[in-house]
Amino acid sequence: MLTDIAICQAVLDALTEATVLKDDERKLVFLNPKACELFGRSREELIGQDVSFFTEEIQSARQRERDIEVLTTGKKNVNEEKLIDANGKCRNVLVRKTRLTLKNRHYILTSIMDISLLRSSEAQIRYLARHDVLTGLPNRTALKEELNQIAAQRVYHPEPYALFLLNLNEFNYINDIYGYQAGDAILCEFGQRLRNETGNAGSVSRIGGDEFAIVLRNSPTQEQANNLALEIMVMMRQPFRLTRANPMVTLSLGIVMFGAENITAGEIMRRGNTALIEAKQRGKNMFSYYSELLDASCVSKRIMVKALAESLSKKGDLTCVYQPILRSIDEKVVCVEALARWNHSVLGAVSPVQFIALSEETGMVIQLGEIIFRQACQQINIFKNLNLAINVSAVQLGEANFADRILTLLDEEGFPATRLELELTETSIMNANSTSLTHLVRLREAGVKISLDDFGTGYSSLSLLKDIAVDSVKIDRSFVQYVTEVNDTASIVSAVSQLGNKMKLNVIAEGVENQLQKAFLISAGCTHLQGYLFSRPVPVETLHALLNSETNMLHER
C-alpha cells in the first residue's frame, strides 16, 4: 500500500509545472523533476534545505515573507518574478503558493509557471497595436495617445505644437495601374521620406490607407511649420522608385497649430481634417491651415447634437441590428452582438462612428445605452438559448450606479443575467477606477459575462485578465485582417488564442471575411467567430429568418 509520502511524490512528478513542497520551517520536503530541471540541481541535493531559487536578495526576502504569510493565514498567494534558470537564461515566472495541511502540520505548495513566451507575445501585441504593419510607423492609436498626452500636459507645458495631416491623392489609381505591391512600396518610401524631412523635430504616423500624420514638437513657430510644409511639397516633385516606372504622386496637407488652449485630442484631429479638406479643394500638392473661418463643421455638429437629443426622446429613430457570433466547433450561432443604428427623418442614416462618439462627448450615451439595452433584451429574449452581447463605453462604466442599473434593467425586462455579455475595451478597463472594477465583479457574481473587446489594441496583460476575471477575449479585426498575410500577426493571434485557452476563456475572432482566415483562426484555437463571412449586422426580422432557416443561410452569405 502506498504511503502518504509516495502518493505526494507521485502527484508532484506528474505535474507539468515546476512544483516544490516546503514544511513549516520552509525546508524542502518534495520537488518534482520539472523543478530539478529548472534549477539545475538534483532532488537529493535539495531535500531538507532552506533554499531560495532567486539570485537577488530582495526577491529572496520577498518570497520568504510570502511563505510566512501563506503559512500563517492560509491565503493563496500569486505573484510574478524574474528567475535565472540552470542555463543562465532569464525567465518570467508566475509563482503560486498554497498552504496544505497534512497530519496536523502545515506545508507550502509552490508552483512556478514559465510565462516568458506569453510576456514576449504581449510585448509583440503592444508593438503591433501601436504600429502600422506595412511601414513600421506608429499608427492611429499611437497618434491619439500622443495627442492625449499633449492635451493632458498643456497646463504645465503650454508651449505650441503643430499637427500635419497628409493624404496621398487618388492613390487607388496607383494600385489599379501598378498593382498593390507597388502601392505598398510607395507607401513605405513616402513614410521614410516624411521621417527624413521631419528629423528629430517631431513624430510621423501612418493613420490610414493613404493617410499620414506628423506631430511637430519643440515649440514650432508657424514659420517653421510653413517651411516644413514647403519642403514636403518640394519632396513630392521627386518621382517614386518602382522597378519599371517612376510615378508621380500628389499630396494634400492640412495643418493645425495648437498649444495652451483647452483642446482635446479629438478636437485637434477634427481641426486638422477641416484644414485637409480645404487643401484638397485648392488643388494638388497644396496645404492649408486650420482657422475658425473654415469651421463650418461646428454648425453641422450643433445640428446633429440637437437631432440626437430629439431622437432619444421618441421611438423609432434608434434601433438595433444584430451580428451573429458562431461557435467554431460546429458553426452554431450561440450569441449575437447588438449594434445601435440611427436613422433620422432629416439627416438620414447617420454613421455609428459619428453619433456614438457624439453621444459619449455630450453624455447622451447613458440614455442611448439604456434604449439599446431595453430594445435588445426585448427582441432577443424569445430566443431562449441565444446569448446577447452589448457594448459598454467607458462613460457608462464610470457611472456610480452602473451595476445597479444593469441588474435593474435585466429585472424589468425579464432577461436572464446568465445570457448577457457586456463587451468592454481594454482601454476602458485599464483606465477604470476601483469602484468601476467592483461593479464588474458584482455583475459577474450575478451571472453576467464580461468580454474584453478589441483585445491586443491596448495594454492587456496576464495580470489584467486575472484581476478582472473576464469570460471572453475578442481578437481585434485589425489582427484578423492580416492573419493569413503577415507572419507576425499570425503569431500574435496564435499566442492570444493559446493564452485564452490556457485560462479557459472564450476566444472570439471578429472581422472574419474569408475562408482562409476562418481556417487559420480555427486551427489557432479561436473558439468563436464573427464577421461578414457569416453575416453582416441584420435587423431582428432577418435574424429570425437566419436562425429559423433549415438551409444554412449564414453560409450562403
Side-chain angles (χ1 to χ4, degrees), residues 231-263:
E231 290 170 4
I232 291 173
M233 293 307 168
V234 170
M235 173 267 288
M236 292 304 294
R237 296 174 190 168
Q238 304 169 18
F240 287 82
R241 298 184 300 272
L242 296 178
T243 304
R244 297 183 179 179
N246 296 303
M248 300 292 292
V249 182
T250 61
L251 174 74
S252 296
L253 168 58
I255 306 172
V256 55
M257 307 292 297
F258 61 99
E261 69 269 34
N262 187 6
I263 184 172

mmCIF file of all heavy atoms in Angstrom, residues 231-263:
data_model
loop_
_atom_site.group_PDB
_atom_site.id
_atom_site.type_symbol
_atom_site.label_atom_id
_atom_site.label_comp_id
_atom_site.label_asym_id
_atom_site.label_seq_id
_atom_site.Cartn_x
_atom_site.Cartn_y
_atom_site.Cartn_z
ATOM 1 N N GLU A 231 8.930 72.174 -47.746
ATOM 2 C CA GLU A 231 9.930 71.138 -48.020
ATOM 3 C C GLU A 231 9.262 69.829 -48.435
ATOM 4 O O GLU A 231 9.752 69.114 -49.327
ATOM 5 C CB GLU A 231 10.803 70.920 -46.783
ATOM 6 C CG GLU A 231 11.741 72.079 -46.485
ATOM 7 C CD GLU A 231 12.410 71.941 -45.129
ATOM 8 O OE1 GLU A 231 12.190 70.897 -44.460
ATOM 9 O OE2 GLU A 231 13.133 72.867 -44.716
ATOM 10 N N ILE A 232 8.140 69.509 -47.795
ATOM 11 C CA ILE A 232 7.406 68.288 -48.156
ATOM 12 C C ILE A 232 6.862 68.401 -49.571
ATOM 13 O O ILE A 232 6.916 67.438 -50.354
ATOM 14 C CB ILE A 232 6.284 68.018 -47.136
ATOM 15 C CG1 ILE A 232 6.877 67.609 -45.782
ATOM 16 C CG2 ILE A 232 5.341 66.925 -47.645
ATOM 17 C CD1 ILE A 232 5.859 67.486 -44.667
ATOM 18 N N MET A 233 6.351 69.568 -49.924
ATOM 19 C CA MET A 233 5.818 69.762 -51.280
ATOM 20 C C MET A 233 6.925 69.657 -52.328
ATOM 21 O O MET A 233 6.729 69.104 -53.417
ATOM 22 C CB MET A 233 5.102 71.104 -51.377
ATOM 23 C CG MET A 233 3.835 71.185 -50.540
ATOM 24 S SD MET A 233 2.705 69.811 -50.898
ATOM 25 C CE MET A 233 1.536 69.975 -49.554
ATOM 26 N N VAL A 234 8.115 70.169 -52.021
ATOM 27 C CA VAL A 234 9.255 70.033 -52.940
ATOM 28 C C VAL A 234 9.639 68.558 -53.065
ATOM 29 O O VAL A 234 9.930 68.058 -54.162
ATOM 30 C CB VAL A 234 10.456 70.872 -52.440
ATOM 31 C CG1 VAL A 234 11.707 70.546 -53.254
ATOM 32 C CG2 VAL A 234 10.139 72.354 -52.515
ATOM 33 N N MET A 235 9.631 67.850 -51.937
ATOM 34 C CA MET A 235 9.950 66.427 -51.948
ATOM 35 C C MET A 235 8.992 65.647 -52.837
ATOM 36 O O MET A 235 9.381 64.682 -53.509
ATOM 37 C CB MET A 235 9.915 65.901 -50.507
ATOM 38 C CG MET A 235 10.054 64.390 -50.363
ATOM 39 S SD MET A 235 8.441 63.543 -50.321
ATOM 40 C CE MET A 235 7.856 64.010 -48.708
ATOM 41 N N MET A 236 7.722 66.052 -52.887
ATOM 42 C CA MET A 236 6.730 65.336 -53.672
ATOM 43 C C MET A 236 6.944 65.491 -55.174
ATOM 44 O O MET A 236 6.349 64.762 -55.976
ATOM 45 C CB MET A 236 5.320 65.811 -53.303
ATOM 46 C CG MET A 236 4.877 65.436 -51.908
ATOM 47 S SD MET A 236 4.941 63.649 -51.572
ATOM 48 C CE MET A 236 3.678 63.052 -52.691
ATOM 49 N N ARG A 237 7.816 66.426 -55.582
ATOM 50 C CA ARG A 237 8.121 66.571 -57.010
ATOM 51 C C ARG A 237 9.055 65.481 -57.500
ATOM 52 O O ARG A 237 9.224 65.292 -58.705
ATOM 53 C CB ARG A 237 8.764 67.934 -57.269
ATOM 54 C CG ARG A 237 7.852 69.122 -56.964
ATOM 55 C CD ARG A 237 8.614 70.425 -57.095
ATOM 56 N NE ARG A 237 7.837 71.558 -56.579
ATOM 57 C CZ ARG A 237 8.340 72.766 -56.350
ATOM 58 N NH1 ARG A 237 9.632 72.997 -56.602
ATOM 59 N NH2 ARG A 237 7.575 73.727 -55.878
ATOM 60 N N GLN A 238 9.670 64.767 -56.564
ATOM 61 C CA GLN A 238 10.559 63.671 -56.932
ATOM 62 C C GLN A 238 9.723 62.413 -57.158
ATOM 63 O O GLN A 238 8.923 62.028 -56.304
ATOM 64 C CB GLN A 238 11.579 63.419 -55.826
ATOM 65 C CG GLN A 238 12.405 64.632 -55.445
ATOM 66 C CD GLN A 238 13.202 64.395 -54.177
ATOM 67 O OE1 GLN A 238 13.403 63.256 -53.766
ATOM 68 N NE2 GLN A 238 13.655 65.475 -53.565
ATOM 69 N N PRO A 239 9.881 61.759 -58.308
ATOM 70 C CA PRO A 239 9.092 60.542 -58.569
ATOM 71 C C PRO A 239 9.463 59.435 -57.598
ATOM 72 O O PRO A 239 10.566 59.400 -57.038
ATOM 73 C CB PRO A 239 9.480 60.176 -60.009
ATOM 74 C CG PRO A 239 10.813 60.811 -60.225
ATOM 75 C CD PRO A 239 10.813 62.068 -59.401
ATOM 76 N N PHE A 240 8.547 58.525 -57.403
ATOM 77 C CA PHE A 240 8.798 57.371 -56.546
ATOM 78 C C PHE A 240 9.452 56.262 -57.372
ATOM 79 O O PHE A 240 9.229 56.156 -58.577
ATOM 80 C CB PHE A 240 7.494 56.883 -55.910
ATOM 81 C CG PHE A 240 7.004 57.797 -54.824
ATOM 82 C CD1 PHE A 240 6.290 58.950 -55.123
ATOM 83 C CD2 PHE A 240 7.277 57.519 -53.500
ATOM 84 C CE1 PHE A 240 5.846 59.805 -54.122
ATOM 85 C CE2 PHE A 240 6.845 58.358 -52.488
ATOM 86 C CZ PHE A 240 6.130 59.505 -52.802
ATOM 87 N N ARG A 241 10.230 55.436 -56.701
ATOM 88 C CA ARG A 241 11.032 54.441 -57.400
ATOM 89 C C ARG A 241 10.308 53.095 -57.431
ATOM 90 O O ARG A 241 10.069 52.481 -56.391
ATOM 91 C CB ARG A 241 12.385 54.271 -56.712
ATOM 92 C CG ARG A 241 13.231 55.539 -56.719
ATOM 93 C CD ARG A 241 14.601 55.263 -56.109
ATOM 94 N NE ARG A 241 14.509 54.807 -54.720
ATOM 95 C CZ ARG A 241 14.485 55.643 -53.682
ATOM 96 N NH1 ARG A 241 14.519 56.953 -53.870
ATOM 97 N NH2 ARG A 241 14.417 55.164 -52.450
ATOM 98 N N LEU A 242 9.969 52.654 -58.642
ATOM 99 C CA LEU A 242 9.442 51.320 -58.860
ATOM 100 C C LEU A 242 10.330 50.609 -59.868
ATOM 101 O O LEU A 242 11.158 51.238 -60.546
ATOM 102 C CB LEU A 242 7.998 51.373 -59.367
ATOM 103 C CG LEU A 242 6.960 51.970 -58.411
ATOM 104 C CD1 LEU A 242 5.599 51.992 -59.068
ATOM 105 C CD2 LEU A 242 6.901 51.183 -57.110
ATOM 106 N N THR A 243 10.140 49.313 -60.019
ATOM 107 C CA THR A 243 11.015 48.526 -60.896
ATOM 108 C C THR A 243 10.937 48.997 -62.337
ATOM 109 O O THR A 243 11.961 49.162 -63.005
ATOM 110 C CB THR A 243 10.633 47.033 -60.825
ATOM 111 O OG1 THR A 243 10.702 46.611 -59.464
ATOM 112 C CG2 THR A 243 11.593 46.198 -61.661
ATOM 113 N N ARG A 244 9.727 49.254 -62.836
ATOM 114 C CA ARG A 244 9.579 49.588 -64.254
ATOM 115 C C ARG A 244 8.923 50.944 -64.485
ATOM 116 O O ARG A 244 8.494 51.244 -65.599
ATOM 117 C CB ARG A 244 8.754 48.509 -64.955
ATOM 118 C CG ARG A 244 9.412 47.139 -64.942
ATOM 119 C CD ARG A 244 8.584 46.121 -65.709
ATOM 120 N NE ARG A 244 9.222 44.807 -65.711
ATOM 121 C CZ ARG A 244 8.700 43.722 -66.297
ATOM 122 N NH1 ARG A 244 7.532 43.812 -66.926
ATOM 123 N NH2 ARG A 244 9.347 42.573 -66.255
ATOM 124 N N ALA A 245 8.832 51.732 -63.450
ATOM 125 C CA ALA A 245 8.168 53.035 -63.616
ATOM 126 C C ALA A 245 8.622 53.973 -62.508
ATOM 127 O O ALA A 245 9.170 53.541 -61.487
ATOM 128 C CB ALA A 245 6.648 52.870 -63.583
ATOM 129 N N ASN A 246 8.412 55.257 -62.717
ATOM 130 C CA ASN A 246 8.719 56.278 -61.720
ATOM 131 C C ASN A 246 7.519 57.211 -61.592
ATOM 132 O O ASN A 246 7.539 58.343 -62.087
ATOM 133 C CB ASN A 246 9.970 57.071 -62.128
ATOM 134 C CG ASN A 246 11.206 56.204 -62.159
ATOM 135 O OD1 ASN A 246 11.556 55.589 -61.158
ATOM 136 N ND2 ASN A 246 11.846 56.125 -63.322
ATOM 137 N N PRO A 247 6.442 56.727 -60.971
ATOM 138 C CA PRO A 247 5.207 57.523 -60.936
ATOM 139 C C PRO A 247 5.333 58.754 -60.048
ATOM 140 O O PRO A 247 6.061 58.765 -59.056
ATOM 141 C CB PRO A 247 4.185 56.549 -60.362
ATOM 142 C CG PRO A 247 4.991 55.598 -59.541
ATOM 143 C CD PRO A 247 6.305 55.450 -60.257
ATOM 144 N N MET A 248 4.606 59.784 -60.417
ATOM 145 C CA MET A 248 4.468 60.981 -59.595
ATOM 146 C C MET A 248 3.190 60.849 -58.770
ATOM 147 O O MET A 248 2.156 60.423 -59.275
ATOM 148 C CB MET A 248 4.399 62.228 -60.468
ATOM 149 C CG MET A 248 5.619 62.454 -61.347
ATOM 150 S SD MET A 248 7.093 62.866 -60.404
ATOM 151 C CE MET A 248 6.640 64.476 -59.778
ATOM 152 N N VAL A 249 3.259 61.222 -57.522
ATOM 153 C CA VAL A 249 2.106 61.157 -56.628
ATOM 154 C C VAL A 249 1.893 62.540 -56.033
ATOM 155 O O VAL A 249 2.863 63.220 -55.697
ATOM 156 C CB VAL A 249 2.332 60.126 -55.506
ATOM 157 C CG1 VAL A 249 1.104 60.037 -54.599
ATOM 158 C CG2 VAL A 249 2.657 58.754 -56.085
ATOM 159 N N THR A 250 0.644 62.953 -55.916
ATOM 160 C CA THR A 250 0.364 64.269 -55.344
ATOM 161 C C THR A 250 -0.173 64.136 -53.927
ATOM 162 O O THR A 250 -0.609 63.062 -53.505
ATOM 163 C CB THR A 250 -0.645 65.050 -56.206
ATOM 164 O OG1 THR A 250 -1.875 64.324 -56.251
ATOM 165 C CG2 THR A 250 -0.107 65.249 -57.615
ATOM 166 N N LEU A 251 -0.160 65.268 -53.238
ATOM 167 C CA LEU A 251 -0.429 65.264 -51.797
ATOM 168 C C LEU A 251 -1.311 66.437 -51.417
ATOM 169 O O LEU A 251 -1.227 67.512 -52.019
ATOM 170 C CB LEU A 251 0.917 65.370 -51.061
ATOM 171 C CG LEU A 251 0.889 65.535 -49.540
ATOM 172 C CD1 LEU A 251 0.520 64.211 -48.889
ATOM 173 C CD2 LEU A 251 2.257 65.990 -49.048
ATOM 174 N N SER A 252 -2.153 66.231 -50.417
ATOM 175 C CA SER A 252 -2.877 67.326 -49.763
ATOM 176 C C SER A 252 -2.484 67.328 -48.296
ATOM 177 O O SER A 252 -2.318 66.260 -47.689
ATOM 178 C CB SER A 252 -4.395 67.154 -49.907
ATOM 179 O OG SER A 252 -4.779 67.234 -51.269
ATOM 180 N N LEU A 253 -2.348 68.534 -47.725
ATOM 181 C CA LEU A 253 -1.823 68.652 -46.371
ATOM 182 C C LEU A 253 -2.609 69.686 -45.579
ATOM 183 O O LEU A 253 -2.767 70.829 -46.012
ATOM 184 C CB LEU A 253 -0.344 69.063 -46.438
ATOM 185 C CG LEU A 253 0.359 69.509 -45.153
ATOM 186 C CD1 LEU A 253 0.305 68.419 -44.103
ATOM 187 C CD2 LEU A 253 1.801 69.898 -45.457
ATOM 188 N N GLY A 254 -3.123 69.258 -44.424
ATOM 189 C CA GLY A 254 -3.815 70.165 -43.520
ATOM 190 C C GLY A 254 -2.993 70.362 -42.262
ATOM 191 O O GLY A 254 -2.424 69.406 -41.728
ATOM 192 N N ILE A 255 -2.909 71.609 -41.790
ATOM 193 C CA ILE A 255 -2.069 71.931 -40.631
ATOM 194 C C ILE A 255 -2.910 72.639 -39.580
ATOM 195 O O ILE A 255 -3.691 73.541 -39.899
ATOM 196 C CB ILE A 255 -0.901 72.856 -41.035
ATOM 197 C CG1 ILE A 255 -0.103 72.243 -42.198
ATOM 198 C CG2 ILE A 255 0.016 73.120 -39.843
ATOM 199 C CD1 ILE A 255 0.936 73.180 -42.776
ATOM 200 N N VAL A 256 -2.730 72.233 -38.331
ATOM 201 C CA VAL A 256 -3.379 72.932 -37.227
ATOM 202 C C VAL A 256 -2.324 73.227 -36.170
ATOM 203 O O VAL A 256 -1.571 72.344 -35.760
ATOM 204 C CB VAL A 256 -4.553 72.109 -36.635
ATOM 205 C CG1 VAL A 256 -4.119 70.724 -36.223
ATOM 206 C CG2 VAL A 256 -5.160 72.823 -35.436
ATOM 207 N N MET A 257 -2.231 74.496 -35.787
ATOM 208 C CA MET A 257 -1.340 74.926 -34.709
ATOM 209 C C MET A 257 -2.148 74.938 -33.417
ATOM 210 O O MET A 257 -3.291 75.419 -33.396
ATOM 211 C CB MET A 257 -0.777 76.322 -34.993
ATOM 212 C CG MET A 257 -0.101 76.485 -36.342
ATOM 213 S SD MET A 257 1.431 75.559 -36.528
ATOM 214 C CE MET A 257 2.466 76.327 -35.272
ATOM 215 N N PHE A 258 -1.583 74.401 -32.328
ATOM 216 C CA PHE A 258 -2.308 74.394 -31.061
ATOM 217 C C PHE A 258 -1.306 74.472 -29.924
ATOM 218 O O PHE A 258 -0.114 74.231 -30.110
ATOM 219 C CB PHE A 258 -3.186 73.144 -30.932
ATOM 220 C CG PHE A 258 -2.432 71.846 -30.958
ATOM 221 C CD1 PHE A 258 -2.117 71.179 -29.789
ATOM 222 C CD2 PHE A 258 -2.028 71.277 -32.165
ATOM 223 C CE1 PHE A 258 -1.419 69.984 -29.810
ATOM 224 C CE2 PHE A 258 -1.320 70.077 -32.197
ATOM 225 C CZ PHE A 258 -1.019 69.432 -31.012
ATOM 226 N N GLY A 259 -1.823 74.817 -28.747
ATOM 227 C CA GLY A 259 -0.915 74.980 -27.621
ATOM 228 C C GLY A 259 -1.636 75.025 -26.305
ATOM 229 O O GLY A 259 -2.202 74.043 -25.845
ATOM 230 N N ALA A 260 -1.664 76.218 -25.675
ATOM 231 C CA ALA A 260 -2.140 76.341 -24.305
ATOM 232 C C ALA A 260 -3.658 76.268 -24.172
ATOM 233 O O ALA A 260 -4.176 76.087 -23.083
ATOM 234 C CB ALA A 260 -1.642 77.654 -23.703
ATOM 235 N N GLU A 261 -4.405 76.410 -25.280
ATOM 236 C CA GLU A 261 -5.862 76.432 -25.161
ATOM 237 C C GLU A 261 -6.398 75.072 -24.731
ATOM 238 O O GLU A 261 -5.767 74.043 -24.940
ATOM 239 C CB GLU A 261 -6.514 76.863 -26.483
ATOM 240 C CG GLU A 261 -6.395 75.870 -27.629
ATOM 241 C CD GLU A 261 -5.159 76.098 -28.492
ATOM 242 O OE1 GLU A 261 -4.126 76.519 -27.943
ATOM 243 O OE2 GLU A 261 -5.241 75.842 -29.704
ATOM 244 N N ASN A 262 -7.581 75.084 -24.122
ATOM 245 C CA ASN A 262 -8.223 73.861 -23.644
ATOM 246 C C ASN A 262 -8.803 73.114 -24.835
ATOM 247 O O ASN A 262 -9.879 73.437 -25.313
ATOM 248 C CB ASN A 262 -9.314 74.221 -22.635
ATOM 249 C CG ASN A 262 -9.897 72.985 -21.981
ATOM 250 O OD1 ASN A 262 -9.420 71.869 -22.202
ATOM 251 N ND2 ASN A 262 -10.915 73.161 -21.176
ATOM 252 N N ILE A 263 -8.092 72.103 -25.305
ATOM 253 C CA ILE A 263 -8.500 71.406 -26.526
ATOM 254 C C ILE A 263 -8.193 69.923 -26.390
ATOM 255 O O ILE A 263 -7.139 69.544 -25.887
ATOM 256 C CB ILE A 263 -7.779 72.024 -27.753
ATOM 257 C CG1 ILE A 263 -8.245 71.387 -29.063
ATOM 258 C CG2 ILE A 263 -6.271 71.911 -27.612
ATOM 259 C CD1 ILE A 263 -7.700 72.104 -30.295
#
